[in-house]
Amino acid sequence: ILNVEQSPQSLHVQEGDSTNFTCSFPSSNFYALHWYRWETAKSPEALFVMTLNGDEKKKGRISATLNTKEGYSYLYIKGSQPEDSATYLCASPLRGAGANNLFFGTGTRLTVIP
Amino acid sequence: ETGVTQTPRHLVMGMTNKKSLKCEQHLGHNAMYWYKQSAKKPLELMFVYSLEERVENNSVPSRFSPECPNSSHLFLHLHTLQPEDSALYLCASSQVFGESGANVLTFGAGSRLTVL
């Protein structure tokens, strides 16, 4: 993998369902993996930054895990609520482009149906 | 004012116009960024000013010209743009500590640009 990739592109879930999506990134020269939430008509907001293999972060019903050896991160949302509807972006620095310059995936657009 | 402020929020311009987008951060950060969001594409990193150094994405056309007069202000000068340059332009800032890659970005609300 040469870029940051996310799947699925979009997801519809019922209120109360739990869900998860994936971010893949180059595992060589890894620095950090970021997750952001982007609600419609708002700015992207940081959720988590993870740097160590095996890192797990949690904020309320949202959690994330990191596997730097295989180059993937999962974002989990437990008991989805309509206010969780947003696009979830992951980002990572890419080899040769500077450790502090983040490259984003295309995002996973989550819609939670009441 | 708090956070990252971008003006104008919306801009419509002809292909022969010259305009500028402005970004101001009130967070005391030492790095500022321009990203471009086109439909169905990932956020594209255009320019970075970090610790007074400029980094640019070589794929960005020269009709986009950044300027960072100080650590709090960032401009994107636009001239002879093309309709395909229509997009949402996001400014962000962060506090860079060494080479950790863990600097969190704070984004502005974006400037929606339409080129006719």
Side-chain angles (χ1 to χ4, degrees), chain B:
Chain B
E1 291 277 9
T2 58
V4 179
T5 305
Q6 288 187 243
T7 55
R9 293 293 307 277
H10 299 274
L11 177 63
V12 179
M13 59 187 288
M15 290 191 284
T16 58
N17 291 161
K18 287 185 181 181
K19 297 284 184 184
S20 296
L21 306 180
K22 179 183 174 182
C23 177
E24 185 173 357
Q25 60 101 355
H26 310 270
L27 299 167
H29 287 166
N30 60 7
M32 296 187 77
Y33 309 77
W34 280 116
Y35 281 88
K36 175 184 178 183
Q37 170 75 82
S38 302
K40 309 216 175 193
K41 289 188 178 180
L43 279 172
E44 177 189 358
L45 180 61
M46 300 176 72
F47 301 102
V48 182
Y49 281 86
S50 175
L51 303 173
E52 299 183 5
E53 284 189 0
R54 173 173 140 181
V55 175
E56 55 188 86
N57 181 340
N58 291 331
S59 68
V60 175
S62 59
R63 54 187 183 266
F64 294 91
S65 172
E67 179 189 0
C68 190
N70 55 60
S71 60
S72 299
H73 294 87
L74 183 65
F75 295 89
L76 188 63
H77 302 302
L78 318 168
H79 62 98
T80 58
L81 294 192
Q82 303 298 307
E84 60 264 29
D85 297 321
S86 299
L88 180 69
Y89 290 84
L90 286 168
C91 173
S93 70
S94 74
Q95 186 65 20
V96 170
F97 302 96
E99 297 284 301
S100 71
N103 50 307
V104 173
L105 299 180
T106 300
F107 284 90
S111 293
R112 173 71 63 182
L113 173 66
T114 303
V115 182
L116 301 176

Side-chain angles (χ1 to χ4, degrees), chain A residues 15-79:
Chain A
E15 182 176 352
D17 286 351
S18 295
T19 187
N20 64 85
F21 20 94
T22 306
C23 173
S24 301
F25 54 88
S27 55
S28 60
N29 276 30
F30 174 80
Y31 291 101
L33 191 283
H34 297 233
W35 281 101
Y36 290 79
R37 174 167 60 196
W38 194 357
E39 295 178 67
T40 302
K42 294 187 178 180
S43 314
E45 290 186 342
L47 284 172
F48 306 113
V49 180
M50 295 180 286
T51 57
L52 299 176
N53 185 43
D55 256 355
E56 291 189 26
K57 299 272 184 170
K58 187 174 180 182
K59 184 183 288 188
R61 294 178 290 98
I62 304 177
S63 60
T65 61
L66 179 66
N67 183 323
T68 62
K69 294 184 179 179
E70 296 182 39
Y72 65 83
S73 174
Y74 294 134
L75 189 80
Y76 300 92
I77 301 179
K78 186 177 177 182

